[in-house]
């Protein structure tokens, strides 16, 4: 099976967590895009979706799935999204698609975070994938210097502005043993909007696409 076929399998498998009458939190990326397609097939059964990016909003709208404002939602049962890496503690690196800030906000509101990934995203130690950090543009150099002090090698993601008008630094060279501590440290740097470490709020369920089928970790 190709990587995209594995992503499709987990995207559609996540439908088992969608119940009639739900508002569904929707992530961003190629795996989340498969989930959106799946959601389109049962759109009459749900109230609508809260989206984590302009790209996902456009896809949801194209499929006729009502888009809802997070500010008007009291209870969000599930958030379904991909990840760039996930470890055995259900902690993740996210933000490869630059949508990390809205993703983290929706994940914080949701009762259950369902992570959908192909098996290549499973790791023992987070950090092989460069850690995305969304930064206010004027703080770019300052934050980059501070990230070097933390042992990282930040690289400015050229030509990318987030949906919030900020820039992304991708931090290489990290071997993240204490993900919660690093998330807190990077979050506390002035100018940082969001770090793509989802450790304080990790996943509750991981659907892993493998050649043998979708593995469920709860
Ligand atoms: C976007 C993300 C994505 O979930 C992550 O990059 C994985 O993407 P894909 O499903 O395309 O492999 O965090 O900001």
């Amino acid at each position: 099976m190709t990587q995209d076929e594995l992503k499709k399998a987990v995207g559609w498998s996540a439908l088992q967590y969608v119940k009639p009458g739900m508002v569904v939190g929707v992530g961003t990326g190629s795996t989340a895009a498969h989930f959106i397609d799946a959601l389109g097939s049962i759109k009459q059964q749900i109230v609508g979706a809260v989206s984590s990016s302009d790209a996902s909003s456009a896809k949801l709208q194209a499929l006729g799935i009502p888009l809802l404002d997070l500010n008007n939602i009291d209870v969000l049962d599930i958030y379904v999204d991909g990840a760039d890496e996930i470890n055995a503690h259900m902690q993740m690196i996210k933000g490869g698609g630059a949508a990390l800030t809205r993703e983290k906000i929706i994940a914080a509101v949701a009762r259950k975070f369902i992570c959908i990934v192909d098996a290549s995203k499973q790791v023992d130690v987070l950090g092989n994938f460069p850690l995305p950090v969304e930064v206010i543009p004027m703080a770019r150099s300052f934050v980059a210097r501070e990230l070097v002090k933390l042992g990282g090698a930040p690289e400015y993601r050229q030509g990318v502005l987030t949906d919030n008008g900020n820039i992304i630094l991708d931090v290489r060279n990290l071997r993240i043993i204490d993900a919660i501590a690093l998330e807190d440290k990077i979050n506390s740097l002035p100018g940082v909007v969001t770090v793509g470490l989802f450790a304080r709020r990790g996943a509750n369920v991981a659907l892993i696409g493998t050649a043998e089928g979708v593995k469920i970790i709860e």
Side-chain angles (χ1 to χ4, degrees), residues 10-11 25 39 46 96 109 126 137 142 155 173 180 189 203 208 214:
V10 288
L39 207 53
I46 60 169
V109 176
L126 297 170
F142 165 70
E155 195 175 300
N173 239 4
I180 290 180
L189 297 173
I208 315 282
V214 175

Side-chain angles (χ1 to χ4, degrees), residues 57-117:
S57 296
K59 192 168 169 64
L60 286 159
Q61 266 173 324
L63 287 170
I65 299 170
L67 272 181
L68 304 171
D69 182 339
L70 185 65
N71 289 304
N72 299 328
I73 308 293
D74 294 328
V75 177
L76 186 64
D77 290 302
I78 59 168
Y79 176 59
V80 180
D81 197 1
D84 299 301
E85 286 185 347
I86 182 165
N87 68 15
H89 306 292
M90 308 287 251
Q91 299 169 325
M92 296 159 283
I93 286 183
K94 293 186 41 56
L100 60 165
T101 296
R102 297 185 191 184
E103 292 174 345
K104 212 177 234 193
I105 294 167
I106 303 176
V109 176
R111 287 186 171 152
K112 202 177 249 189
F113 186 138
I114 297 154
C115 178
I116 48 175
V117 288

